[in-house]
Structure formats: structure tokens, C-alpha cells
Amino acid sequence: MSIVYKSDPVRGQRWQALLADKAPERAFHLWPDCGNPDDVCYLVAWQPPDDLTTCFSNLRVLFSIGAGVDQLDLDRIPTDLPIVRMIDPGLTQGMIEYVLFAVLALQRDMPSYLAQQRARVWQPHPQRSAAETRVGVLGVGELGQAVLERLASLGFDCAGWSRSPRPPGAVPVWHGDQALPDFLARTDILVCLLPLTSATRGLLNTAVFDQLPESAALVNVGRGPQLVIDDLLAALDRGHLGAAVLDVVDPEPLPSEHALWAHPRVWLTPHIASAPQPETALDALLANIERFERGEAMHGKIDRTRGY
Ligand code: NDP
Ligand code: OXD
């Protein structure tokens, strides 16, 4: 019943040390070491090996090391093998921090003030309060929900958008394609925290930007292919959008000659918004393995028909 970890080797060593402390009874191997492949029941990976089933004939669960599973080719993974994504309080906290940073910077007009600093211009602008700033989060899952709660606690006027309806709560949630226009019309800062699926690929496009109020801003922390970059550049250049903070782009890494790098209204980070934290992620993994072994439902099991 061993576990194989196949991802960043430096983080893997941290996982290995923590596991030796927390669950010494469990055998743990760092890819490419797999111990006896027939003993491997659990694979924790960003990308499994191509020949997954021939490598591990007794594999019981594939755990994605990330919150997303779009990096997996689901057609190559046996349909009866459960796939579980990462739900980790450490990862959630990192995402809260990143989105707070981006929303606060946009609310306080930091792209303008940084440009002014470079030009040595001392020029205050009228200030918009948090209560006057309408933040809309696309995706109200593990991450979107946590981000919305924290933004609301700072006084931002928050709303979310999801695929399925939610019971009424402190933050209003719109759902479904038919509700998107109303949600966008009340959004000054649009945060994308959607999984990448066929329904969300290319969603951040001219038609969506045009429904946002003048000078709205975009924060994309979902996945690069959700954004049509040329549509974003056009919306920024005609002044309809005020700024964009992009943690994810397509392709990654972004080629050095790409127009986004030098755009004065774009801030780019190299897909670092958040990552699983070995201390908390290992606890989440072990808890799921225990649930599985007791025959209970695991947290974060993906639904192949939805794609997330
Ligand atoms: P969840 O699966 O918990 O939540 C996904 C949310 O998106 C749900 O609210 C879901 O709606 C909604 N959704 C999915 N498809 C649609 C659709 N077609 N229309 C409307 N809403 C939709 O995912 P997480 O919150 O854990 O993670 C979200 C994504 O964040 C990940 O998939 C990944 O791409 C990205 N991410 C990025 C990181 C980074 O560093 N940049 C780090 C970690 C994650 P419903 O509730 O109705 O199912
Ligand atoms: C993730 C990511 O999905 O790192 O966890 O983007």
C-alpha cells in the first residue's frame, strides 16, 4: 500500500520527511524510485507517467498535486481510477493572500501610481473605498469562496458566479450563463478562479470585457487558456479595461517578445499565486487515504463529466 510522489523533487523531500514523522508506517517513494511497483496504491503527481497502468498495476487512487486537474489527459486514465484534486488549507491561504494583494492594489490604483513614480509625477487621484468597489469572483469553489469571504470582511462589495445555484448567503452568487451579464455589469474588479474546462476555455474575451463597467480590471488566477490575450490587450488599449493582474497565461512561460510583458497596465507573475504547502497538504492527503481505506468519500474527487 505504498505512496509514490512524482512532482517537484525539492518539495518531495519535504513531503518525505514530514511523512516519516506523521505516518511512518506508510511506505513513501520519490519518483523515479517506486519501490516495488506492484505495492504502489497511491500516486501523488502533477503529471502521471504515460504508461500509468503498466507502471502501477495495483494503483487505487491518483492524487493531483495541484488544485486543478486540467494538466491531466483524462482519456488516458482508466475510468475506474478515482482522481482527487488538492484541497489544502495552505494552498487556500496562499490564494487569499494573492487575490487580496491584487484587489487592494487595483482598488488603490497602484498601476497608475507606479507609472507616476517612474515619470516623477506627484499627482493624487480621487480614492474609491472598498465599499464602493464591486468585486466579482468567477468560480465559488474551495478557493473562490474563501477569497470572497475575506474580501467581504474587508468591506468590498462582493459577488460570485458559479455553475450551479447556492443557498442564499452573505455574498450573493449568480449562477449559469444566463446570469453572467448581470454579474458582469456590477463588477469593477473581475477575479477568475475557474477550473479550465471546455466551458471556461476562452471565457475571458471581448464579449465579457464589454459587459464590464468602464475602467474595470481583471485578475486571472485560474488558467491561462481562459483568457483571450488579444482581446484583453484590445480592451486595455481602447481604455475600456483599466488594468490586469495575470498570474496565469497561455503559453507558460510567456515568450520574452510577447506584448504582455511591456504593457503599462499589466502586472504579470509566473503562476505563483498559490501552491500546496507540504505541511498542510500532506495532512489532507493522509486524511483522504484514510477515508478511502474506510470506504468513505474522499474530499476533492473530480467528476469526469464536469471536468473538475
Ligand atoms: P473548485 O472545483 O472547488 O471550484 C470551481 C468553481 O468554478 C465552482 O464554483 C464551479 O461551480 C465553478 N465553475 C466551474 N465551471 C463553471 C462554469 N462553466 N460556469 C460557471 N462556474 C463554473 O476549484 P478550486 O476553487 O479549488 O480551484 C479553482 C481553480 O483555481 C483551479 O481549477 C485552478 O485552475 C486554479 N488555481 C490556480 C492556482 C494558481 O496558482 N494560479 C493555484 C490553485 C488553483 P459549481 O460550484 O457550481 O460546481
Ligand atoms: C494548482 C496550481 O492548480 O498550482 O494547484 O495552479
Side-chain angles (χ1 to χ4, degrees):
M1 299 281 267
S2 67
I3 305 171
V4 167
Y5 175 101
K6 180 179 178 293
S7 189
D8 174 60
V10 175
R11 284 175 162 259
Q13 281 168 7
R14 182 78 191 124
W15 279 68
Q16 192 165 39
L18 285 165
L19 187 117
D21 190 36
K22 291 180 186 228
E25 70 286 0
R26 294 214 180 256
F28 185 91
H29 302 279
L30 286 182
W31 178 272
D33 169 30
C34 301
N36 177 356
D38 292 341
D39 288 343
V40 176
C41 289
Y42 309 111
L43 176 64
V44 186
W46 178 254
Q47 200 57 263
D50 287 343
D51 46 353
L52 178 63
T53 42
T54 42
C55 269
F56 306 120
S57 53
N58 290 316
L59 194 65
R60 305 268 180 86
V61 186
L62 171 60
F63 291 98
S64 166
I65 189 79
V69 290
D70 52 285
Q71 76 280 11
L72 303 174
D73 180 353
L74 297 184
D75 292 339
R76 298 184 64 132
I77 299 173
T79 46
D80 56 352
L81 182 68
I83 304 171
V84 177
R85 65 196 189 80
M86 181 54 72
I87 298 181
D88 161 30
L91 183 147
T92 303
Q93 177 60 27
M95 186 56 80
I96 291 171
E97 290 166 7
Y98 186 96
V99 176
L100 284 188
F101 136 76
V103 168
L104 286 166
L106 292 165
Q107 176 227 346
R108 298 304 299 260
D109 214 1
M110 286 310 290
S112 300
Y113 287 121
L114 286 182
Q116 285 186 200
Q117 180 180 345
R118 286 188 198 106
R120 298 168 188 253
V121 174
W122 187 273
Q123 175 63 59
H125 301 289
Q127 194 183 311
R128 182 173 55 166
S129 70
E132 292 165 326
T133 307
R134 298 165 298 175
V135 183
V137 177
L138 297 166
V140 190
E142 286 296 325
L143 301 178
Q145 178 69 41
V147 159
L148 278 167
E149 281 167 14
R150 200 60 73 86
L151 286 167
S153 76
L154 287 178
F156 286 96
D157 181 357
C158 291
W161 182 72
S162 64
R163 205 174 52 92
S164 47
R166 291 280 180 298
V171 171
V173 176
W174 273 257
H175 74 275
D177 293 344
Q178 72 294 341
L180 191 56
D182 286 345
F183 166 82
L184 294 171
R186 54 77 58 212
T187 294
D188 300 312
I189 299 178
L190 181 67
V191 178
C192 178
L193 260 170
L194 290 165
L196 179 62
T197 65
S198 54
T200 66
R201 185 177 292 273
L203 183 95
L204 302 171
N205 58 26
T206 300
V208 159
F209 300 147
D210 282 352
Q211 295 174 72
L212 293 167
E214 200 70 20
S215 301
L218 172 70
V219 179
N220 192 14
V221 274
R223 285 290 186 259
Q226 289 162 344
L227 171 65
V228 182
I229 294 178
D230 286 346
D231 288 6
L232 172 68
L233 289 170
L236 289 167
D237 290 342
R238 70 188 147 89
H240 179 63
L241 288 191
V245 179
L246 306 177
D247 180 57
V248 287
V249 285
D250 184 27
E252 292 177 9
L254 193 66
S256 57
E257 68 282 5
H258 199 286
L260 276 178
W261 283 112
H263 198 287
R265 307 297 301 180
V266 173
W267 290 1
L268 277 177
T269 51
H271 199 143
I272 48 75
S274 192
Q277 299 305 307
E279 285 72 9
T280 44
L282 177 65
D283 289 344
L285 173 77
L286 291 173
N288 257 341
I289 290 178
E290 282 162 21
R291 282 184 198 103
F292 176 76
E293 291 176 352
R294 290 195 299 265
E296 296 170 11
M298 290 176 284
H299 293 178
K301 182 165 177 280
I302 70 143
D303 174 340
R304 286 173 185 248
T305 54
R306 292 186 325 188
Y308 67 98

